[in-house]
Amino acid sequence: MAIDLHAHTTVSDGALTPAELAGLAASRGLSLLAVTDHDAVEGVRAARRAAPTGLEILAGAELTVHVADREAHVLAYGIDPENEDLVAALGDLARWRVERARAIVEKLVGLGIEIEFDDVQRVSGAGTIARPHVAIALVERGHASSLDEAFRRWLGRHGPAFVPKEALAPRAAFDLVKDAGGVPALAHPGTFRRDDLIPVLVEAGLEGLEVRHTEHSAARSRHYETLARDLDLLPTGGSDFHGTPGHRSRLGRPAVPDAWGEALVARIHTPR
Ligand code: AMP
Ligand code: MN
Ligand code: MN
Ligand code: MN
């Protein structure tokens, strides 16, 4: 069997609905799929409804935390999607994202680019609004030929239309996740590229590390597998599947050991 512990849907910046994602996961022969939309858990229930027998859907979300002036992504595994504090906090994050998308559009307009917030909102639909939605709107308006170009020219961390997200402090985020029954894991440390900050996150309550990821080379995966063992973190892995044009991720790739999923699920069900 195969598992994938990191995937997005239309509830955030993925191209497939939660039901479509569950269907694709089943067709790829996955036995465990974590639905991890940015700052949102609304996709979990629909994915579960659509999942055939033999495919378990793990409730998840990908949160942002601020640490040492950097954004780190945190995967929250096994959270209760009905937890009131969690749902309230995610609501705040979603509202901040709307404000930020407006600020990004204002910056773009200031740079002489014709784009309106409505263009972006049409792309994002009902889900959480994220930079790829702005990128798609820029492509649709003919200002860029690909999402990647839109990120390189304007939206990336060093781009002229970059606006940082509001985010939680690590300990606040980890407490929120744990109080909702979940396990927090650092997403794609290989793109975060601040190994020195991982012990700081562990001190704040981090419990897992995404060892395997689309953007990790084999050498990098081995490096993080060793680091996870040394820091007593649960190893996790996933594709970070988005399904949007130009996104490299493929659902179910890279391969993730079943045992990692089993250990994660066991930790989720262990009262702390
Ligand atoms: P946000 O959460 O609004 O800051 O948006 C971050 C998301 O942008 C990430 O989760 C990726 O899905 C996406 N992203 C980052 N860089 C690129 C890129 N070069 N091309 C396409 N999507 C990207
Ligand atoms: Mn994304
Ligand atoms: Mn991420
Ligand atoms: Mn992701």
Side-chain angles (χ1 to χ4, degrees):
M1 293 306 267
I3 66 173
D4 193 326
L5 301 174
H6 190 162
H8 296 267
T9 78
T10 48
V11 165
S12 63
D13 57 352
L16 303 187
T17 64
E20 288 166 346
L21 180 71
L24 181 62
S27 77
R28 295 269 162 88
L30 299 190
S31 59
L32 180 64
L33 169 72
V35 175
T36 55
D37 278 304
H38 298 287
D39 300 337
V41 284
E42 283 87 351
V44 171
R45 209 170 327 151
R48 280 188 176 148
R49 266 198 306 273
T53 313
L55 172 61
E56 184 184 346
I57 303 292
L58 187 56
E62 185 173 9
L63 308 177
T64 302
V65 300
H66 277 159
V67 52
D69 283 339
R70 282 291 308 273
E71 249 191 26
H73 289 183
V74 172
L75 294 161
Y77 288 120
I79 41 182
D80 170 10
E82 317 283 339
N83 180 278
E84 279 179 24
D85 289 341
L86 180 73
V87 169
L90 295 179
D92 286 341
L93 293 170
R95 278 186 288 280
W96 286 338
R97 277 177 170 278
V98 173
E99 292 314 307
R100 173 210 193 209
R102 285 187 192 280
I104 292 174
V105 168
E106 265 176 45
K107 279 198 166 185
L108 288 167
V109 169
L111 293 162
I113 295 158
E114 266 183 53
I115 184 168
E116 288 168 26
F117 178 69
D118 280 357
D119 300 330
V120 179
Q121 199 151 47
R122 212 173 306 120
V123 175
S124 79
T128 319
I129 202 161
R131 278 180 292 161
H133 300 127
V134 184
I136 291 169
L138 284 166
V139 170
E140 284 181 357
R141 281 265 185 156
H143 299 300
S145 59
S146 68
L147 273 66
D148 202 45
E149 187 192 337
F151 269 86
R152 256 186 296 113
R153 287 181 67 182
W154 298 294
L155 305 175
R157 187 151 60 92
H158 303 292
F162 179 73
V163 178
K165 264 189 310 232
E166 290 269 4
L168 303 168
R171 189 176 296 277
F174 300 158
D175 285 350
L176 189 68
V177 170
K178 291 179 189 183
D179 289 346
V183 170
L186 179 64
H188 43 74
T191 68
F192 182 48
R193 288 184 168 275
R194 286 297 302 269
D195 284 8
D196 59 307
L197 293 176
I198 295 176
V200 177
L201 296 171
V202 171
E203 184 60 32
L206 188 72
E207 296 185 355
L209 189 67
E210 192 174 43
V211 167
R212 302 223 181 141
H213 182 271
T214 298
E215 300 292 336
H216 289 179
S217 65
R220 218 156 251 288
S221 297
R222 278 194 302 275
H223 165 71
Y224 287 116
E225 194 170 345
T226 305
L227 195 61
R229 199 176 311 128
D230 291 347
L231 295 174
D232 199 20
L233 293 169
L234 287 164
T236 76
S239 61
D240 207 354
F241 179 75
H242 281 70
T244 40
H247 203 282
R248 271 199 295 276
S249 55
R250 188 168 175 273
L251 194 67
R253 293 269 176 270
V256 176
D258 285 1
W260 294 5
E262 285 158 16
L264 178 61
V265 169
R267 174 77 66 91
I268 289 162
H269 294 301
T270 307
R272 271 157 289 158

